[in-house]
Amino acid sequence: MAETKAKTPQSVDTTFTVPITKDNNSGWSCVVMEDSGEFFGTRRAVKIGGTIDGQPFEATMLPVGGGNHMIPIKAALRKLVAKEQGDEVTVHIKQRFS
């Protein structure tokens, strides 16, 4: 029988305000967290949870080089916060899942 990995949340607390941009490789709307590799201690993908402009979300932060990660922002979440590419959002990361 295969063992399933449960999400184990680890509390973190960081907040930053950045514009929503378009990732050049994927075309996704996203925000970039600078120095996230140093903050999380890895340059690999990181599963997180928190809020964007007060709306809860979970996502996988993807490394984009230089020790930074991007957080994809789904269209439904952008609609909830009434923001599009170019608009600034406040991201509060509260949990890291491992």
Side-chain angles (χ1 to χ4, degrees):
M1 187 172 196
E3 188 177 318
T4 57
K5 269 191 168 180
K7 289 185 196 177
T8 305
Q10 173 187 16
S11 286
V12 293
D13 186 18
T14 187
T15 303
F16 54 97
T17 300
V18 291
I20 298 172
T21 60
K22 181 178 179 178
D23 179 61
N24 291 333
N25 295 324
S26 66
W28 296 342
S29 293
C30 63
V31 294
V32 174
M33 179 181 177
E34 292 187 3
D35 301 322
S36 52
E38 186 175 325
F39 181 82
F40 288 107
T42 185
R43 291 185 176 207
R44 294 179 175 232
V46 179
K47 294 183 181 192
I48 56 150
T51 62
I52 293 181
D53 281 0
Q55 291 295 323
F57 81 104
E58 287 185 8
T60 299
M61 297 177 68
L62 303 170
V64 292
N68 301 331
H69 285 74
M70 76 165 183
I71 304 169
I73 303 180
K74 296 180 179 177
L77 180 56
R78 290 194 318 272
K79 186 175 180 179
L80 276 174
V81 299
K83 302 280 177 84
E84 286 301 325
Q85 290 180 12
D87 295 334
E88 284 194 341
V89 291
T90 299
V91 180
H92 182 189
I93 300 175
K94 299 178 181 181
Q95 294 179 316
R96 175 182 182 174
F97 300 105
S98 54

